[in-house]
Amino acid sequence: MASHQSPTRRPGVSRRVWLASALAVSLAAAGVAGVQVSRAATIDPSTPLSKLAASTCADRTYSAMTTAQRVGQLFMGGVTPSAPDSKRIALMQQYHVGSVFLAGRSKAGTAATKSVVDGLQAKADTVAGHRVGLLVSTDQEGGQVQVLSGPGFSTIPSALTQGTWTTTQLRSASAGWAKELKSAGVNLNLAPVADVVPASLGTGNPPIGKFNREFGHTAAVVAPHSDAFLEGSLQSGVLATLKHFPGLGYVRGNTDTTAGVVDSVTTSTSSSITPFKSGIQAGAPFVMISSATYSKIDAKNRAAFSSTVIQTLLRKNLGFKGVVISDDLGNAVAVKAVAPGDRAVKFLSAGGDVVLTVEPNLIPAMTKAVQSRMTQSSAFSTQVNQSVHRILNAKQKAGLLTCS
């Protein structure tokens, strides 16, 4: 095979321009055409050449997409694995939905679930000759929140029980549970729960404590166990999600079933933020945003619609660079008073990336609102651009996107 050498950097040629030229040669060698040296203006001189080559896959895929395909990547729609609704699946395919959420309990086991997922993946969009695979997620926390069970799946104990294990034991167990998910075609787990429920509230906390979904009652217990669950999942090749930022441990209402849920305790520096900070440092690729309102952080907006929560606290203060996903914006009572299209636009405007709706029939109204907003606001369009890139980069890490 003929060798391909990067151009020698000549005197007077900036590293920035030289990097772009070297990158173009490297990609041409790999059969990647159409890379312009004019891209140099966007290249950080400190970025290693290998990273530049890897990052262009998302760029090239994005460039080849239609607007409808780009917008579709911003959505995750619900599918019932035990009884997939062909009409809803066809709707999601029509709107180029890039991710699915396996919702509702299934006892069918890994092989049957894999068959359902393979059918969904076969309907994923093809862009520039390459299939852009679906992120396939579920809630596989353990205890009362384990969507998938049956042959091939372990019975996972509650997080409260997991929190009594050593972190080494939990990391190993989590890696095993993630392998089961992967064998079923699931590449994203909407877990671990990083919320801290104080012992004084315990089961009096409807969304988390009532179901023993917390690893413990202090940040000192939750953070290392949440990290261990996260690390085990990533070790087995399944993306994981810290939830429900900035925490649902102090609320007295469940946002799925209750409107006007307010946390009047948590601040931007509360110890209950620590598990999220720790998980981000441990490499969390996804963070889910709560739909409660945090009166001491942003009293005017639900967290899912708050740029203070997403842009300032999560991204700026905690340094999160991954994918921000919403809690359910479809059936959740917390957002029922907001028109479906506005829910999507508000979440994305606040800095979110993936709109999760358990009810996919809302996706047409949501995508229409997003596309309309894009025509009205260049700033919003820029945010959409950034969000789609984050999602495509996550897909590349999950092996769902290739440009070779």
Side-chain angles (χ1 to χ4, degrees):
M1 187 172 76
S3 63
H4 297 271
Q5 297 181 345
S6 298
T8 302
R9 183 178 171 191
R10 299 188 305 276
V13 176
S14 73
R15 174 173 164 77
R16 188 181 294 272
V17 171
W18 175 79
L19 274 171
S21 179
L23 176 60
V25 171
S26 298
L27 292 177
V32 178
V35 178
Q36 303 283 331
V37 174
S38 60
R39 290 177 62 85
T42 66
I43 295 175
D44 182 343
S46 65
T47 306
L49 185 59
S50 59
K51 283 195 174 183
L52 288 172
S55 72
T56 59
C57 187
D59 292 336
R60 292 179 58 242
T61 302
Y62 178 89
S63 296
M65 284 178 156
T66 64
T67 298
Q69 287 176 321
R70 292 171 183 171
V71 171
Q73 290 296 312
L74 304 171
F75 290 89
M76 176 182 285
V79 173
T80 305
S82 58
D85 184 327
S86 59
K87 289 184 178 179
R88 291 184 178 189
I89 292 170
L91 178 75
M92 288 194 281
Q93 184 181 18
Q94 178 185 347
Y95 284 87
H96 309 282
V97 172
S99 303
V100 297
F101 170 61
L102 302 184
R105 305 304 168 96
S106 169
K107 298 180 180 179
T110 54
T113 304
K114 179 69 158 57
S115 178
V116 171
V117 172
D118 285 350
L120 296 171
Q121 290 287 15
K123 294 178 171 62
D125 268 10
T126 297
V127 176
H130 296 281
R131 177 165 287 152
V132 180
L134 302 171
L135 286 168
V136 179
S137 70
T138 197
D139 282 328
Q140 200 81 337
E141 301 171 16
Q144 296 181 62
V145 184
Q146 179 177 343
V147 170
L148 303 175
S149 61
F153 287 113
S154 299
T155 298
I156 305 173
S158 72
L160 203 54
T161 296
Q162 294 172 36
T164 66
W165 298 352
T166 66
T167 52
T168 300
Q169 182 183 359
L170 178 54
R171 189 178 298 106
S172 176
S174 175
W177 302 330
K179 283 181 182 176
E180 296 168 359
L181 286 175
K182 194 164 188 179
S183 71
V186 177
N187 48 50
L188 171 63
N189 194 4
L190 301 184
V193 170
D195 305 331
V196 177
V197 180
S200 59
L201 195 51
T203 55
N205 169 252
I208 311 300
K210 181 180 179 181
F211 304 104
N212 296 333
R213 297 171 70 193
E214 75 274 32
F215 288 107
H217 302 300
T218 65
V221 172
V222 173
H225 287 85
S226 177
D227 286 356
F229 189 106
L230 169 81
E231 290 162 356
S233 185
L234 297 179
Q235 178 184 315
S236 293
V238 174
L239 301 174
T241 309
L242 297 174
K243 64 183 186 185
H244 310 76
F245 189 79
L248 282 174
Y250 286 85
V251 302
R252 295 178 182 270
N254 187 334
T255 53
D256 284 339
T257 57
T258 310
V261 176
V262 177
D263 175 330
S264 57
V265 177
T266 304
T267 70
S268 59
T269 57
S270 290
S271 63
S272 56
I273 300 289
T274 304
F276 293 99
K277 181 178 181 180
S278 182
I280 289 166
Q281 292 172 344
F286 280 69
V287 171
M288 178 182 284
I289 306 296
S290 152
S291 294
T293 299
Y294 297 78
S295 59
K296 292 188 175 178
I297 300 175
D298 181 354
K300 296 181 179 180
N301 300 287
R302 298 170 183 84
F305 303 153
S306 169
S307 61
T308 300
V309 169
I310 300 176
Q311 299 280 34
T312 304
L313 181 53
L314 180 59
R315 291 214 185 276
K316 183 179 177 183
N317 295 5
L318 299 188
F320 182 64
K321 300 187 188 312
V323 178
V324 173
I325 184 171
S326 73
D327 204 343
D328 178 35
L329 295 182
N331 289 336
V333 174
V335 295
K336 284 290 187 184
V338 181
D342 290 341
R343 296 174 207 170
V345 170
K346 284 175 177 287
F347 174 67
L348 296 169
S349 295
D353 300 311
V354 175
V355 176
L356 167 59
T357 172
V358 173
E359 176 47 81
N361 286 323
L362 298 181
I363 288 173
M366 288 178 163
T367 56
K368 182 178 179 180
V370 170
Q371 291 196 38
S372 176
R373 182 67 177 148
M374 287 173 70
T375 64
Q376 300 163 3
S377 168
S378 59
F380 182 78
S381 293
T382 297
Q383 284 186 284
V384 166
N385 175 340
Q386 293 170 344
S387 291
V388 176
H389 273 80
R390 288 189 196 103
I391 295 160
L392 293 176
N393 282 323
K395 288 189 172 188
Q396 188 175 3
K397 288 179 183 176
L400 299 169
L401 178 67
T402 57
C403 291
S404 57

